[in-house]
Amino acid sequence: MDGHKVTLLALGGAGCRIIRRIAGTPGAEKLRLLAMDSDTESLKESGLPAENCIIAGMNLRSGRGCGGNDILGRSAAAVERPRLAKILEGTEILLIIGGLGGGMCSGGLPVILGVARHLHITTMLMLSLPFAMEGYGRRKQADDRICSDLLPLADCLIALPNDLLFSTLAPETPLAQALELADVEMARTAVALSSILLAGNIFSADVATFSALLKPNALCSLGVGVVSTAEGESLEAAVEKMMLSPLLGGPAELQRADAVIFTVIGGTQLSLGSAKSVLDLACSQLDKSVDRKILIGAGSAAAWDGMVQITALTVRYTDKKPETPAVAETPVRRSAAARRNLNPSDAAFVQQTLDLDTDDKGIMENSTPDFFNGEDLDVPTFKRRGIFIDQGK
Protein backbone atom coordinates (compact mmCIF):
# COMPACT_ATOMS: atom_id res chain seq x y z
CA MET A 1 0.00 0.00 0.00
CA ASP A 2 1.20 3.51 -0.72
CA GLY A 3 2.27 5.39 2.37
CA HIS A 4 -0.02 8.37 1.74
CA LYS A 5 -3.03 6.08 2.12
CA VAL A 6 -2.28 5.78 5.85
CA THR A 7 -2.08 9.06 7.78
CA LEU A 8 -0.95 9.35 11.38
CA LEU A 9 -2.24 12.51 13.07
CA ALA A 10 -0.80 13.62 16.41
CA LEU A 11 -3.40 15.65 18.29
CA GLY A 12 -2.64 17.92 21.22
CA GLY A 13 0.46 18.25 23.37
CA ALA A 14 0.85 14.56 24.22
CA GLY A 15 0.42 13.55 20.58
CA CYS A 16 3.03 16.05 19.39
CA ARG A 17 5.50 14.74 21.97
CA ILE A 18 4.95 11.13 20.88
CA ILE A 19 5.15 11.74 17.13
CA ARG A 20 8.68 13.06 17.57
CA ARG A 21 9.61 9.55 18.67
CA ILE A 22 7.62 7.94 15.88
CA ALA A 23 9.57 9.76 13.17
CA GLY A 24 12.73 7.84 14.15
CA THR A 25 11.10 4.42 14.49
CA PRO A 26 11.66 1.74 11.77
CA GLY A 27 8.63 1.63 9.47
CA ALA A 28 7.55 5.23 10.07
CA GLU A 29 8.87 6.30 6.68
CA LYS A 30 5.83 4.70 5.06
CA LEU A 31 3.43 6.86 7.06
CA ARG A 32 2.20 10.35 6.34
CA LEU A 33 2.86 12.19 9.61
CA LEU A 34 0.78 15.21 10.67
CA ALA A 35 0.49 17.18 13.91
CA MET A 36 -2.38 19.43 15.04
CA ASP A 37 -2.59 21.66 18.10
CA SER A 38 -3.66 25.14 19.09
CA ASP A 39 -0.31 25.68 20.84
CA THR A 40 2.51 26.72 18.49
CA GLU A 41 5.22 25.71 20.99
CA SER A 42 3.76 22.21 21.18
CA LEU A 43 3.85 21.90 17.40
CA LYS A 44 7.53 22.83 17.40
CA GLU A 45 8.20 19.93 19.78
CA SER A 46 6.77 17.51 17.22
CA GLY A 47 9.86 17.98 15.05
CA LEU A 48 7.76 17.88 11.88
CA PRO A 49 8.21 20.39 9.05
CA ALA A 50 5.84 23.37 9.03
CA GLU A 51 3.84 22.01 6.08
CA ASN A 52 2.93 18.96 8.19
CA CYS A 53 1.72 21.01 11.15
CA ILE A 54 -1.81 22.38 11.57
CA ILE A 55 -2.24 25.33 13.94
CA ALA A 56 -5.85 24.99 15.10
CA GLY A 57 -7.95 28.12 15.71
CA MET A 58 -5.14 30.64 15.28
CA ASN A 59 -7.66 33.49 15.09
CA LEU A 60 -9.35 32.23 18.27
CA ARG A 61 -6.39 31.33 20.49
CA SER A 62 -3.45 33.14 18.80
CA GLY A 63 -1.33 30.02 19.21
CA ARG A 64 -1.57 30.03 23.03
CA GLY A 65 -3.26 26.65 23.47
CA CYS A 66 -6.57 25.76 25.11
CA GLY A 67 -5.45 25.58 28.73
CA GLY A 68 -7.07 22.17 29.21
CA ASN A 69 -10.51 23.50 28.21
CA ASP A 70 -12.14 20.95 25.88
CA ILE A 71 -14.81 23.44 24.75
CA LEU A 72 -12.07 25.72 23.42
CA GLY A 73 -10.46 22.67 21.83
CA ARG A 74 -13.66 21.80 20.01
CA SER A 75 -14.04 25.40 18.78
CA ALA A 76 -10.43 25.54 17.57
CA ALA A 77 -10.82 22.29 15.64
CA ALA A 78 -14.22 23.28 14.21
CA VAL A 79 -12.84 26.25 12.30
CA GLU A 80 -10.31 23.93 10.63
CA ARG A 81 -12.93 21.58 9.15
CA PRO A 82 -12.50 22.74 5.49
CA ARG A 83 -8.71 22.60 5.78
CA LEU A 84 -8.80 19.14 7.36
CA ALA A 85 -11.11 17.82 4.65
CA LYS A 86 -8.68 18.98 1.98
CA ILE A 87 -5.60 17.59 3.75
CA LEU A 88 -7.20 14.18 4.36
CA GLU A 89 -8.38 13.65 0.78
CA GLY A 90 -7.07 10.30 -0.51
CA THR A 91 -6.46 8.89 2.98
CA GLU A 92 -7.95 5.43 3.58
CA ILE A 93 -6.82 4.86 7.18
CA LEU A 94 -6.49 7.67 9.72
CA LEU A 95 -4.64 6.83 12.93
CA ILE A 96 -4.96 9.50 15.64
CA ILE A 97 -2.75 9.52 18.72
CA GLY A 98 -3.07 11.79 21.73
CA GLY A 99 -3.84 12.02 25.42
CA LEU A 100 -7.32 12.51 26.86
CA GLY A 101 -7.82 14.93 29.71
CA GLY A 102 -6.52 18.05 27.96
CA GLY A 103 -8.25 20.59 25.75
CA MET A 104 -7.21 20.03 22.14
CA CYS A 105 -7.43 16.24 22.06
CA SER A 106 -10.58 15.85 24.17
CA GLY A 107 -12.45 18.63 22.39
CA GLY A 108 -11.08 18.28 18.87
CA LEU A 109 -11.47 14.52 18.40
CA PRO A 110 -15.25 14.49 17.69
CA VAL A 111 -14.75 17.21 15.06
CA ILE A 112 -11.95 15.35 13.28
CA LEU A 113 -13.86 12.06 13.41
CA GLY A 114 -16.86 13.79 11.86
CA VAL A 115 -14.73 15.04 8.95
CA ALA A 116 -13.23 11.57 8.47
CA ARG A 117 -16.64 9.91 8.45
CA HIS A 118 -17.86 12.37 5.80
CA LEU A 119 -14.85 11.35 3.66
CA HIS A 120 -15.47 7.61 4.35
CA ILE A 121 -12.08 7.21 6.05
CA THR A 122 -11.52 4.32 8.45
CA THR A 123 -10.50 5.87 11.79
CA MET A 124 -8.36 4.37 14.54
CA LEU A 125 -7.70 6.07 17.87
CA MET A 126 -4.82 5.36 20.23
CA LEU A 127 -5.33 7.47 23.34
CA SER A 128 -3.58 7.58 26.69
CA LEU A 129 -5.75 8.06 29.79
CA PRO A 130 -4.85 10.21 32.85
CA PHE A 131 -2.97 8.76 35.81
CA ALA A 132 -5.05 7.52 38.73
CA MET A 133 -3.13 9.97 40.95
CA GLU A 134 -4.51 12.86 38.85
CA GLY A 135 -7.88 12.33 40.51
CA TYR A 136 -11.07 10.41 39.93
CA GLY A 137 -12.80 13.36 38.24
CA ARG A 138 -10.20 13.74 35.48
CA ARG A 139 -10.21 10.01 34.73
CA LYS A 140 -14.01 9.84 34.76
CA GLN A 141 -14.17 12.79 32.36
CA ALA A 142 -11.92 10.88 29.95
CA ASP A 143 -13.99 7.68 30.29
CA ASP A 144 -17.24 9.57 29.72
CA ARG A 145 -15.82 11.24 26.62
CA ILE A 146 -14.88 7.84 25.20
CA CYS A 147 -18.34 6.37 25.78
CA SER A 148 -20.46 9.34 24.72
CA ASP A 149 -18.52 11.08 21.94
CA LEU A 150 -15.81 8.80 20.55
CA LEU A 151 -17.12 5.23 20.41
CA PRO A 152 -20.11 6.16 18.20
CA LEU A 153 -17.80 7.75 15.61
CA ALA A 154 -14.49 5.82 15.66
CA ASP A 155 -13.96 2.48 13.93
CA CYS A 156 -11.29 1.35 16.37
CA LEU A 157 -10.37 2.72 19.79
CA ILE A 158 -7.39 1.68 21.89
CA ALA A 159 -7.35 3.26 25.35
CA LEU A 160 -3.99 3.13 27.13
CA PRO A 161 -4.05 4.05 30.85
CA ASN A 162 -0.85 5.88 31.78
CA ASP A 163 -0.61 3.68 34.88
CA LEU A 164 -0.43 0.65 32.56
CA LEU A 165 2.44 2.16 30.58
CA PHE A 166 4.48 2.40 33.77
CA SER A 167 3.53 -1.01 35.15
CA THR A 168 6.73 -2.67 33.90
CA LEU A 169 9.10 -0.04 35.32
CA ALA A 170 10.86 -0.26 38.66
CA PRO A 171 9.57 2.16 41.35
CA GLU A 172 13.00 3.80 41.62
CA THR A 173 13.01 4.75 37.91
CA PRO A 174 13.61 8.53 37.57
CA LEU A 175 10.44 10.37 36.51
CA ALA A 176 12.03 11.98 33.43
CA GLN A 177 13.27 8.59 32.24
CA ALA A 178 9.86 7.01 32.91
CA LEU A 179 8.07 9.65 30.83
CA GLU A 180 10.56 9.19 28.01
CA LEU A 181 10.13 5.40 28.06
CA ALA A 182 6.35 5.81 28.03
CA ASP A 183 6.59 7.99 24.93
CA VAL A 184 8.84 5.41 23.27
CA GLU A 185 6.36 2.64 24.08
CA MET A 186 3.47 4.67 22.64
CA ALA A 187 5.51 5.45 19.50
CA ARG A 188 6.44 1.81 18.98
CA THR A 189 2.84 0.76 19.49
CA ALA A 190 1.60 3.30 16.93
CA VAL A 191 4.07 2.07 14.31
CA ALA A 192 3.16 -1.53 15.15
CA LEU A 193 -0.48 -0.70 14.54
CA SER A 194 0.30 0.81 11.16
CA SER A 195 2.55 -2.14 10.24
CA ILE A 196 -0.58 -4.30 10.13
CA LEU A 197 -1.37 -2.56 6.85
CA LEU A 198 2.05 -1.49 5.59
CA ALA A 199 4.03 -4.70 6.04
CA GLY A 200 2.37 -6.91 3.46
CA ASN A 201 4.97 -7.77 0.85
CA ILE A 202 4.95 -11.47 1.91
CA PHE A 203 1.21 -11.74 2.41
CA SER A 204 -0.93 -8.82 3.41
CA ALA A 205 -3.91 -7.68 5.40
CA ASP A 206 -5.44 -5.40 2.79
CA VAL A 207 -7.39 -2.26 3.65
CA ALA A 208 -10.79 -3.56 2.56
CA THR A 209 -10.55 -6.73 4.64
CA PHE A 210 -9.08 -4.85 7.58
CA SER A 211 -11.80 -2.17 7.50
CA ALA A 212 -14.50 -4.83 7.32
CA LEU A 213 -13.42 -6.11 10.75
CA LEU A 214 -13.78 -2.66 12.28
CA LYS A 215 -16.99 -0.83 12.96
CA PRO A 216 -18.16 1.88 15.34
CA ASN A 217 -18.30 0.81 18.99
CA ALA A 218 -15.26 -1.46 18.66
CA LEU A 219 -12.87 -1.60 21.61
CA CYS A 220 -9.38 -2.80 20.79
CA SER A 221 -6.14 -3.70 22.49
CA LEU A 222 -2.67 -4.15 21.05
CA GLY A 223 0.15 -6.51 21.97
CA VAL A 224 3.66 -6.08 20.54
CA GLY A 225 6.62 -8.42 20.84
CA VAL A 226 10.06 -7.54 19.41
CA VAL A 227 13.17 -9.70 19.42
CA SER A 228 16.69 -9.18 18.14
CA THR A 229 17.59 -12.06 15.84
CA ALA A 230 21.07 -10.57 15.54
CA GLU A 231 21.56 -11.35 19.24
CA GLY A 232 20.19 -14.88 18.89
CA GLU A 233 16.72 -14.35 20.32
CA SER A 234 14.22 -16.92 19.06
CA LEU A 235 11.02 -16.21 17.16
CA GLU A 236 9.10 -17.97 19.93
CA ALA A 237 10.35 -15.30 22.33
CA ALA A 238 8.62 -12.65 20.19
CA VAL A 239 5.26 -14.38 20.71
CA GLU A 240 5.92 -14.66 24.44
CA LYS A 241 6.68 -10.94 24.67
CA MET A 242 3.54 -10.15 22.69
CA MET A 243 1.41 -12.15 25.13
CA LEU A 244 3.03 -10.36 28.09
CA SER A 245 2.70 -6.89 26.55
CA PRO A 246 0.98 -4.63 29.13
CA LEU A 247 -1.03 -2.93 26.38
CA LEU A 248 -2.64 -6.21 25.32
CA GLY A 249 -4.35 -6.69 28.67
CA GLY A 250 -3.27 -10.30 29.13
CA PRO A 251 -4.26 -13.61 27.51
CA ALA A 252 -7.85 -13.17 28.74
CA GLU A 253 -8.31 -10.13 26.48
CA LEU A 254 -7.12 -12.19 23.53
CA GLN A 255 -9.72 -14.88 24.26
CA ARG A 256 -12.54 -12.31 24.64
CA ALA A 257 -11.91 -10.83 21.19
CA ASP A 258 -14.45 -11.15 18.38
CA ALA A 259 -11.67 -10.65 15.81
CA VAL A 260 -7.87 -10.80 15.99
CA ILE A 261 -5.31 -9.45 13.52
CA PHE A 262 -1.79 -10.90 13.66
CA THR A 263 1.11 -9.35 11.73
CA VAL A 264 4.79 -10.27 11.67
CA ILE A 265 7.48 -8.03 10.22
CA GLY A 266 11.20 -8.62 10.00
CA GLY A 267 14.31 -7.84 8.01
CA THR A 268 15.05 -8.80 4.43
CA GLN A 269 16.20 -12.23 5.62
CA LEU A 270 12.74 -13.14 6.98
CA SER A 271 11.55 -16.16 5.02
CA LEU A 272 8.05 -17.31 4.22
CA GLY A 273 8.56 -20.39 6.41
CA SER A 274 9.70 -18.33 9.41
CA ALA A 275 6.81 -15.92 9.05
CA LYS A 276 4.33 -18.80 8.84
CA SER A 277 5.90 -20.49 11.87
CA VAL A 278 5.53 -17.35 14.02
CA LEU A 279 1.95 -16.73 12.90
CA ASP A 280 0.99 -20.37 13.53
CA LEU A 281 2.40 -20.09 17.05
CA ALA A 282 0.46 -16.86 17.63
CA CYS A 283 -2.79 -18.35 16.33
CA SER A 284 -2.31 -21.35 18.62
CA GLN A 285 -2.80 -19.03 21.60
CA LEU A 286 -6.49 -18.70 20.66
CA ASP A 287 -9.21 -21.02 21.85
CA LYS A 288 -10.19 -23.08 18.79
CA SER A 289 -13.71 -23.71 20.12
CA VAL A 290 -14.63 -20.00 19.81
CA ASP A 291 -15.81 -18.73 16.43
CA ARG A 292 -13.90 -15.53 15.72
CA LYS A 293 -12.44 -13.79 12.68
CA ILE A 294 -8.67 -13.99 12.21
CA LEU A 295 -6.65 -11.86 9.79
CA ILE A 296 -2.91 -12.32 9.24
CA GLY A 297 -0.19 -10.47 7.41
CA ALA A 298 3.58 -10.61 7.06
CA GLY A 299 6.25 -8.48 5.49
CA SER A 300 9.92 -7.59 5.44
CA ALA A 301 11.86 -4.36 5.13
CA ALA A 302 15.50 -3.36 5.31
CA ALA A 303 14.79 -1.11 8.31
CA TRP A 304 13.96 -4.25 10.31
CA ASP A 305 17.19 -6.14 9.58
CA GLY A 306 18.24 -8.04 12.70
CA MET A 307 14.77 -7.72 14.29
CA VAL A 308 11.39 -9.46 14.18
CA GLN A 309 8.16 -7.98 15.49
CA ILE A 310 4.85 -9.78 16.03
CA THR A 311 1.74 -7.66 16.58
CA ALA A 312 -1.72 -8.71 17.79
CA LEU A 313 -4.69 -6.37 17.46
CA THR A 314 -7.82 -7.57 19.24
CA VAL A 315 -11.25 -6.24 18.27
CA ARG A 316 -14.22 -6.52 20.61
CA TYR A 317 -17.63 -5.32 19.48
CA THR A 318 -19.60 -3.53 22.18
CA ASP A 319 -22.91 -3.34 20.30
CA LYS A 320 -23.63 -7.07 20.22
CA LYS A 321 -27.17 -7.92 21.28
CA PRO A 322 -27.66 -11.02 23.42
CA GLU A 323 -29.50 -13.74 21.61
CA THR A 324 -32.84 -14.59 23.19
CA PRO A 325 -34.52 -17.92 22.45
CA ALA A 326 -37.72 -17.69 20.49
CA VAL A 327 -40.81 -18.25 22.62
CA ALA A 328 -43.34 -20.54 20.98
CA GLU A 329 -46.83 -19.16 21.05
CA THR A 330 -49.49 -21.36 22.65
CA PRO A 331 -52.31 -21.96 20.16
CA VAL A 332 -55.70 -20.59 21.25
CA ARG A 333 -58.49 -23.17 20.97
CA ARG A 334 -61.91 -21.73 20.13
CA SER A 335 -65.27 -23.42 20.07
CA ALA A 336 -67.23 -23.66 16.82
CA ALA A 337 -69.67 -21.01 18.07
CA ALA A 338 -66.84 -18.68 18.94
CA ARG A 339 -65.30 -19.15 15.49
CA ARG A 340 -68.60 -18.25 13.81
CA ASN A 341 -68.91 -15.04 15.84
CA LEU A 342 -65.35 -13.75 15.20
CA ASN A 343 -65.26 -10.13 14.02
CA PRO A 344 -62.58 -9.37 11.38
CA SER A 345 -61.99 -6.06 13.16
CA ASP A 346 -60.79 -7.87 16.30
CA ALA A 347 -57.15 -7.36 17.30
CA ALA A 348 -56.41 -10.95 16.29
CA PHE A 349 -57.12 -10.03 12.65
CA VAL A 350 -55.21 -6.72 12.61
CA GLN A 351 -51.91 -6.90 10.69
CA GLN A 352 -49.15 -5.77 13.04
CA THR A 353 -46.49 -3.40 11.69
CA LEU A 354 -42.89 -2.93 12.72
CA ASP A 355 -41.70 0.40 14.08
CA LEU A 356 -39.11 1.23 11.43
CA ASP A 357 -39.30 5.01 11.71
CA THR A 358 -35.94 6.77 11.56
CA ASP A 359 -35.05 10.16 12.94
CA ASP A 360 -35.28 12.79 10.21
CA LYS A 361 -32.56 15.43 10.50
CA GLY A 362 -34.08 17.67 7.81
CA ILE A 363 -31.52 20.06 6.33
CA MET A 364 -28.85 18.60 8.65
CA GLU A 365 -29.17 15.11 7.11
CA ASN A 366 -25.87 15.24 5.18
CA SER A 367 -23.92 17.32 7.68
CA THR A 368 -21.17 16.11 9.99
CA PRO A 369 -22.74 14.43 13.08
CA ASP A 370 -22.35 16.40 16.31
CA PHE A 371 -22.60 14.13 19.36
CA PHE A 372 -22.84 15.25 22.99
CA ASN A 373 -23.36 12.81 25.87
CA GLY A 374 -24.25 10.09 23.35
CA GLU A 375 -26.99 12.14 21.63
CA ASP A 376 -27.01 13.36 18.03
CA LEU A 377 -27.72 17.09 18.39
CA ASP A 378 -28.82 17.34 14.75
CA VAL A 379 -31.99 15.38 15.60
CA PRO A 380 -34.72 17.71 16.99
CA THR A 381 -35.05 17.57 20.77
CA PHE A 382 -38.69 16.42 20.78
CA LYS A 383 -37.72 13.41 18.62
CA ARG A 384 -34.77 12.49 20.82
CA ARG A 385 -37.03 12.65 23.89
CA GLY A 386 -39.87 10.72 22.22
CA ILE A 387 -42.35 13.59 22.75
CA PHE A 388 -45.57 13.39 20.72
CA ILE A 389 -46.79 16.69 19.31
CA ASP A 390 -50.50 16.99 18.63
CA GLN A 391 -50.84 18.64 15.24
CA GLY A 392 -54.62 18.88 15.50
CA LYS A 393 -55.34 16.32 12.79
Side-chain angles (χ1 to χ4, degrees):
M1 177 191 297
D2 296 332
H4 72 278
K5 297 293 184 181
V6 180
T7 297
L8 193 154
L9 173 64
L11 188 60
C16 290
R17 194 177 65 246
I18 294 168
I19 204 169
R20 182 182 59 194
R21 304 284 181 184
I22 292 176
T25 304
E29 67 280 355
K30 294 184 179 181
L31 294 169
R32 181 189 184 194
L33 302 179
L34 301 174
M36 178 175 175
D37 200 358
S38 57
D39 187 342
T40 53
E41 294 301 319
S42 174
L43 287 173
K44 290 179 183 178
E45 290 185 12
S46 71
L48 298 181
E51 58 268 22
N52 290 49
C53 295
I54 304 170
I55 303 176
M58 187 64 178
N59 293 334
L60 297 175
R61 303 301 303 156
S62 302
R64 298 192 306 269
C66 299
N69 189 320
D70 58 345
I71 296 178
L72 293 179
R74 182 184 288 255
S75 300
V79 298
E80 304 298 337
R81 275 196 181 106
R83 186 181 176 190
L84 280 169
K86 186 175 181 180
I87 291 175
L88 295 178
E89 283 183 358
T91 295
E92 294 187 19
I93 303 287
L94 175 62
L95 173 59
I96 304 175
I97 59 172
L100 286 181
M104 189 69 243
C105 187
S106 297
L109 267 175
V111 176
I112 298 173
L113 290 173
V115 173
R117 171 168 285 194
H118 182 71
L119 296 174
H120 306 290
I121 299 173
T122 298
T123 52
M124 309 177 69
L125 308 183
M126 194 173 72
L127 307 172
S128 63
L129 302 181
F131 289 102
M133 62 184 178
E134 295 182 65
Y136 171 77
R138 188 175 173 89
R139 177 60 183 272
K140 185 178 185 301
Q141 182 183 22
D143 292 340
D144 291 344
R145 177 54 52 89
I146 287 175
C147 296
S148 62
D149 292 344
L150 304 183
L151 273 179
L153 291 175
D155 294 293
C156 167
L157 191 151
I158 302 175
L160 307 173
N162 277 332
D163 299 285
L164 195 61
L165 291 172
F166 290 94
S167 62
T168 57
L169 300 179
E172 60 272 13
T173 303
L175 181 59
Q177 181 184 353
L179 292 172
E180 182 178 353
L181 291 174
D183 288 346
V184 171
E185 183 69 18
M186 284 280 286
R188 189 181 71 170
T189 304
V191 175
L193 186 58
S194 63
S195 71
I196 292 174
L197 295 166
L198 299 176
N201 58 341
I202 296 180
F203 46 92
S204 65
D206 62 276
V207 174
T209 307
F210 177 76
S211 299
L213 291 182
L214 304 178
K215 58 183 179 180
N217 292 319
L219 287 173
C220 304
S221 65
L222 191 71
V224 183
V226 182
V227 295
S228 173
T229 54
E231 297 180 3
E233 290 186 278
S234 66
L235 299 181
E236 291 77 8
V239 178
E240 292 177 5
K241 290 184 178 181
M242 177 201 72
M243 295 297 295
L244 296 175
S245 174
L247 305 183
L248 180 63
E253 187 64 32
L254 198 64
Q255 303 302 338
R256 293 170 60 194
D258 299 298
V260 181
I261 304 170
F262 289 118
T263 298
V264 61
I265 181 172
T268 52
Q269 301 302 315
L270 181 67
S271 65
L272 175 63
S274 297
K276 183 178 182 301
S277 175
V278 175
L279 290 170
D280 285 344
L281 182 59
C283 290
S284 69
Q285 308 301 315
L286 298 172
D287 185 355
K288 299 296 190 296
S289 63
V290 178
D291 183 21
R292 63 169 61 87
K293 299 176 182 177
I294 300 176
L295 184 65
I296 59 174
S300 61
W304 289 90
D305 281 347
M307 295 183 293
V308 171
Q309 173 180 285
I310 177 75
T311 304
L313 175 66
T314 72
V315 183
R316 182 160 49 89
Y317 306 129
T318 62
D319 58 354
K320 292 186 299 182
K321 296 180 180 179
E323 297 182 0
T324 55
V327 179
E329 295 184 0
T330 304
V332 179
R333 298 185 178 275
R334 302 179 186 270
S335 65
R339 290 195 299 269
R340 286 194 299 269
N341 294 326
L342 284 177
N343 187 344
S345 63
D346 288 347
F349 287 88
V350 177
Q351 174 65 49
Q352 300 297 315
T353 60
L354 295 176
D355 183 14
L356 297 179
D357 292 340
T358 57
D359 292 329
D360 182 12
K361 298 183 182 181
I363 63 173
M364 306 299 291
E365 186 66 38
N366 296 320
S367 64
T368 301
D370 194 2
F371 285 90
F372 181 75
N373 288 336
E375 294 184 348
D376 189 347
L377 300 185
D378 294 334
V379 178
T381 303
F382 75 91
K383 289 188 176 182
R384 297 200 311 270
R385 300 290 185 267
I387 300 173
F388 174 74
I389 297 180
D390 187 357
Q391 300 178 356
K393 296 181 181 179

